[in-house]
Amino acid sequence: MDALRAADRLSLSTDNDWMRRARRVDARASTRRDILTEIGTDATVYPRFVSRMKGAHLWDTDGNRYVDYMLGYGPVILGHADERVNEAVIAELAHGNCMAPLWSSRQIELNELLCEVLPGAEQAYLMKTGSDTTTAAVRLARIHTGRSRVIRWGYNGWHDWAAGSPNGIPPESYALTSTFDHSDPDSLRQAFATYPGEVACVLIMPFEEGTTTTAHLAELKSITHEHGAVFIFDEMRSGFRMAVGGAQEYFGVQADLATFSKAMANGYPISALCGRRDIMSGLALTRISSTFYASPVEMAAAMATIDVLRHTDALARVWRLGGALQHGLRRLIADYEVAAEVVGYAPMPFLRFTDADPQRRDEVRNRFYVTAVAGGALLHPDHQWFVSAAHTDDDIQATLDVCRVAMERAVG
Ligand SMILES: Cc1ncc(COP(=O)(O)O)c(C=O)c1O
C-alpha cells in the first residue's frame, strides 16, 4: 500500500459543492454539525460525502483516499464491498426482495444460524435497524413483566424511550426511562430503589469506549433479576465483533434478550432480536412489523457474513490488527508525552485526550485529528473506532506513521 499523505489540509472543494446543494434540500445534511472543524472556524476539515469504498479504504468526492476506521459506524467487519457477501446478495436479488406478508426460507435458515451461534438465543426475530430491535426488546420486556419503566445505558437508538434529549417527546413518556452509572452497581441498585416494582428491564451496552469484566456484567445481571426485571444486552457494536457470539460469548454472561445489527451483515440493513422463548412469545400480544422485515437479500448478506466470521480467521485478524494499532498509539503517547490514553478493546479502540485543562485538551485533540484525517487516517474524534478484517499490517503502519506526525503537531 502507498504511504498515506502528509498533507496539511485536505482539498474538499467538491465536498463543499455537494454541501451547498444539500443545505437547500437535505434535512439531514443541513441539520447535522460537521464532525471536525478547526477550532474557531466553521470550515469542515473532515469529509462529508463518499464516492466509493473498497476493503479498508474509502474515497471522498474529491478523490482523497482514507484508511477507514469508522466502517459505517461499525458494520463493515469484513471490509467494504466484500465480494463473498456481495455475491450472495446479487444471487438473492435476482429472485426479488419484497414479499410481505409471506416469508422466504432464508428467514428460517438465518434464524436457525443465529440460534446456533448466539448464546441464549432460543428464538430470533429479524428486523431492519438497531433501534427497531432495542425498541422491540423494551416492548417485550413490558409485556413480560407488566411494568412500564426502563433503565438503560449507552446509546440505544433514537426512539422516544431511548432518546438522549427530551425535545419532541411527551414528558410523561420520556420520564419512563432512566439511566445509571454502568461502572457503579450501586447506582443500578439506587435506580431500582427509586422505582420499586416498576422497572420492566435493564437494557445496556455491555461496554462502550472502555472495557468491562465478566464479574461486573454478572453483578448487573444479578441486581436486575433480584428486582424481577428483564436483562437485555444491546450488542449492536459488540455483536459479531468481540466474538461470533458477541459480548455474551466473550464474557460468558448471558442476557435474557440481546439485540444485534451492524457487523451481522457487513453493512447490509438487517437486525435481530434474540433470546428467551417465553419473553419472545409476547410478540403474539402486540404488533411489531414492517413491510421490509421479510427481505431475503439482507438475510443472505447476514448468512454470508456470519459464515466467513465462523470459518475464517477474520475476527482473529481484527483483534490482532486493532491490538497493533493500540500498541503503536500507546508508544506515540509515551514518545510525545501527550496527556492521552488508548481505551477499549482491540476491535473497537479509541484515543482519549485527558489534559485536565479543557482548553488545552481540546486544542491538542483538535490538532491531532485534523492532521490524522488530512493524512488519510479516517479516525473519529468523538466516537470509538472500528477495525475490519480487510485492514492490513501496512494500513496499520501507515496509520501509525500519520499519527506520529499528528502527535508531533498536537503537542507542538
Ligand atoms: C449500541 C447501539 N445501539 C443501538 C443503535 C441504534 O442502531 P440503528 O442506528 O441501526 O438504529 C446503535 C447505532 O449506532 C448502537 O451503536
Side-chain angles (χ1 to χ4, degrees), residues 190-211:
Q190 184 56 49
F192 273 111
T194 310
Y195 302 111
E198 293 180 51
V199 176
C201 62
V202 172
L203 185 148
I204 58 169
M205 293 172 70
F207 57 88
E208 196 172 11
E209 272 173 10
T211 54

Side-chain angles (χ1 to χ4, degrees), residues 73 128-134 154-159 205 208 234-238 259 261-262 271 383-384 386:
Y73 273 143
K128 278 279 154 284
T129 71
S131 300
D132 282 353
T133 56
T134 51
Y155 178 69
N156 308 122
W158 70 272
H159 292 169
M205 293 172 70
E208 196 172 11
D234 175 345
E235 289 241 43
M236 237 58 77
R237 296 185 206 170
S238 51
T259 61
S261 181
K262 299 210 187 239
S271 58
H383 192 288
Q384 67 193 154
F386 300 96

Side-chain angles (χ1 to χ4, degrees), residues 165-187:
S165 112
N167 300 328
I169 302 170
E172 54 279 15
S173 160
Y174 196 71
L176 287 175
T177 300
S178 43
T179 57
F180 71 107
D181 174 1
H182 185 296
S183 66
D184 176 11
D186 280 339
S187 83

Side-chain angles (χ1 to χ4, degrees), residues 250-316:
Y250 184 82
F251 293 106
V253 177
Q254 205 170 295
D256 301 313
L257 296 175
T259 61
F260 299 87
S261 181
K262 299 210 187 239
M264 175 178 167
N266 204 45
Y268 285 90
I270 185 166
S271 58
L273 168 63
C274 308
R276 276 170 43 186
R277 180 187 301 273
D278 60 331
I279 304 177
M280 300 286 280
S281 65
L283 285 163
L285 302 174
T286 181
R287 183 171 165 84
I288 297 177
S289 80
S290 159
T291 308
F292 299 116
Y293 283 168
S295 307
V297 165
E298 295 86 336
M299 295 174 192
M303 283 167 46
T305 304
I306 296 169
D307 188 56
V308 176
L309 293 176
R310 283 180 94 189
H311 298 118
T312 72
D313 65 348
L315 284 181

Side-chain angles (χ1 to χ4, degrees), residues 207 209-213 242 250-251 319 326 343-349:
F207 57 88
E209 272 173 10
T211 54
T212 188
T213 64
M242 292 295 283
Y250 184 82
F251 293 106
W319 274 90
Q326 288 184 309
V343 295
Y345 293 99
M348 43 214 298

